Amino acid sequence: MTISADLKGHVAIVTGSTSGIGQAMAKQLAKQGCNIIVNGLGDPAKIEEERAGIAAEFGVEVKYHGADMTKPEEIADMVDFAKREFGRLDVLLNNAGVQFVSPIEDFPIDKWNQIIAINLSSAFHATRAAVPIMKAQGRGRIVNLASAHALVASPFKSAYVAAKHGVLGLTKTVALEVAEHGITCNAICPGYVRTPLVEAQIGDTAKARGMTPEQVMKEVILAAQPTKKFVEFDEIGGLLIYLVSDAGASVNGAGLAIDGGWTAA
Ligand code: NAD
């Protein structure tokens, strides 16, 4: 990746950074000199290994906060943790997310509530807590890891698509509120990225559509992307680094598709 920014001394919270895109984005930010607060679920020993690994590889400070993204008070404490530990917060990357695939008539109510809480409401709670810190600094970057599903729908993903469209609405609203304070709020809308979240839905989609997992991969997942390729971590990282850099100062309230042309169709 050739895009770089000087983020030395900056502090970023990356929610859901114990796996997949969040973990990759934490490393992309650390590579630019940014201190990181890692968050997410998982085996404590593996999380500690990741935390120490990023710190050692990039020479930055990395701390872990285990806020559960379904719990507003824990999310607020995670944002306050940035202030307590580092005295500042420059980047908030709302990335934590889960998926569940089912026809709406069978969609479990607890799954709906969980997806809305983690994929949408957590971004509200974190942003609500982060904005006063960023306003006091006169600078900040809020990036919501949305999805192509913030722009278009797919069947059997009612909660996910509703949450991601909601994230884009939240993004635009916050952007208008913070615009005069040196803060931007944008949404990155990737197509399919090969992570555990996608691997896990192959089986469920196969069941919902009566297909084999191989058919789902070819005919559903990569069929959506004109490039017929997964979106790569480095490609999302390039966009993220641009958005959080000074060069990104006038990009505000945007839902930026990075989907190989999926949503152009
Ligand atoms: P992933 O399953 O690899 O990672 C999800 C992360 O969220 C993990 O770190 C997990 O621990 C964390 N998480 C889940 N529930 C949590 C909770 N209650 N509290 C705290 N953390 C929690 O998934 P991913 O594919 O890397 O997805 C990351 C984001 O990117 C999600 O918002 C997802 O919707 C979005 N996205 C993914 C794709 C894709 O194709 N993979 C495409 C577009 C958007």
Side-chain angles (χ1 to χ4, degrees), residues 16 18-19 21 41 68-69 95 146 160 164 190-191 193 195-198:
T18 53
S19 171
I21 298 172
L41 311 176
D68 179 339
M69 290 298 116
N95 164 84
Y160 188 87
K164 295 296 184 182
V193 188
T195 69
L197 181 142
V198 166

Side-chain angles (χ1 to χ4, degrees), residues 98-102 106-118 159-160:
V98 291
Q99 175 62 289
F100 192 81
V101 179
S102 162
D106 301 324
F107 210 97
I109 291 167
D110 63 331
K111 288 289 178 194
W112 168 272
N113 288 335
Q114 185 204 29
I115 290 177
I116 298 300
I118 298 171
Y160 188 87

